[in-house]
Amino acid sequence: MKFQHYRISEDIKQSLEEQGFVKPTDIQYKSIPSILAGEDVLAIAQTGTGKTAAFVIPILDMLHRVRPDHYIPDVKCLVMVPTRELAIQISEVFSKLSNHTELKTACITGGVDQEAQIQLLKKGVHIVVATPGRMFDLIYQKHIKITQVEILVLDEADKMLEAGFIKDIQDVKKFLPKIHQTLFFSVVVAFWS
């Protein structure tokens, strides 16, 4: 099945086509329908298999259907990742695939001055891709409000747990609405003998 046959927004289909997405990869084929159905998902795939797009595409479609131009942007999706590099990469995918929508994404990480991130958040964003340290700094400073989040994504969840982020994962759940969709994505390492 090609992306053109999926029941997703024409605006997102246009961005997919512009980015060279024609047919879903295996992880996308298996994940997208469940995510669109509002189910919690645990997905494991190798690097380079389209794992990021497997959650970005349905999230953008679900948020775009709400017509964000008709309300003040609130953070509706929070993506937590273990590293700054991964946060930047995922933010770029969100931005490219939401090109023909009104959806706004913010990349929130340490290692850079927080003022530019604060200014972006003040303008209003729908999606936050963040590393835990900077995210909690900005939550406690009241620059990020995640009480309206509908979708929580933990990407490279296995690495987050290995790096000791379990408390951060537990703590973020305290700020979220009780009812929200949770997506766990992890990388499987291929070993060749």
Side-chain angles (χ1 to χ4, degrees), residues 105-120:
T105 301
C107 182
I108 305 298
T109 68
V112 295
D113 182 56
Q114 72 177 24
E115 191 56 36
Q117 297 171 354
I118 291 169
Q119 292 307 314
L120 182 60

Side-chain angles (χ1 to χ4, degrees), residues 10 33 63 66 71 91 132 138 143:
E10 292 300 321
L63 297 182
V66 177
Y71 65 84
S91 296
L138 296 182
H143 294 298

Side-chain angles (χ1 to χ4, degrees), residues 62-192:
M62 291 186 296
L63 297 182
H64 183 56
R65 288 181 188 280
V66 177
R67 301 296 303 161
D69 51 324
H70 292 142
Y71 65 84
I72 296 170
D74 284 324
V75 179
K76 297 293 184 185
C77 175
L78 173 62
V79 182
M80 287 178 61
V81 298
T83 67
R84 179 175 182 260
E85 295 75 16
L86 184 58
I88 292 168
Q89 174 191 339
I90 292 170
S91 296
E92 289 172 354
V93 175
F94 269 109
S95 294
K96 287 176 182 174
L97 295 184
S98 65
N99 190 38
H100 297 285
T101 74
E102 298 295 322
L103 296 169
K104 304 292 183 221
T105 301
C107 182
I108 305 298
T109 68
V112 295
D113 182 56
Q114 72 177 24
E115 191 56 36
Q117 297 171 354
I118 291 169
Q119 292 307 314
L120 182 60
L121 291 166
K122 282 182 180 177
K123 292 178 184 176
V125 298
H126 307 94
I127 301 150
V128 169
V129 182
T131 54
R134 177 58 59 87
M135 179 192 70
F136 280 113
D137 286 347
L138 296 182
I139 286 173
Y140 292 127
Q141 293 172 32
K142 301 193 183 310
H143 294 298
I144 300 177
K145 182 179 168 190
I146 60 171
T147 56
Q148 301 297 314
V149 165
E150 298 169 359
I151 307 161
L152 171 65
V153 181
L154 300 173
D155 194 19
E156 296 199 2
D158 53 331
K159 290 183 181 176
M160 292 186 75
L161 295 174
E162 289 170 10
F165 288 121
I166 184 69
K167 185 175 181 331
D168 292 324
I169 294 169
Q170 292 167 335
D171 287 347
V172 80
K173 297 282 273 182
K174 295 174 188 175
F175 291 95
L176 301 179
K178 287 188 179 184
I179 298 173
H180 63 273
Q181 186 175 13
T182 304
L183 311 176
F184 287 86
F185 279 76
S186 290
V187 175
V188 64
V189 179
F191 293 98
W192 303 99

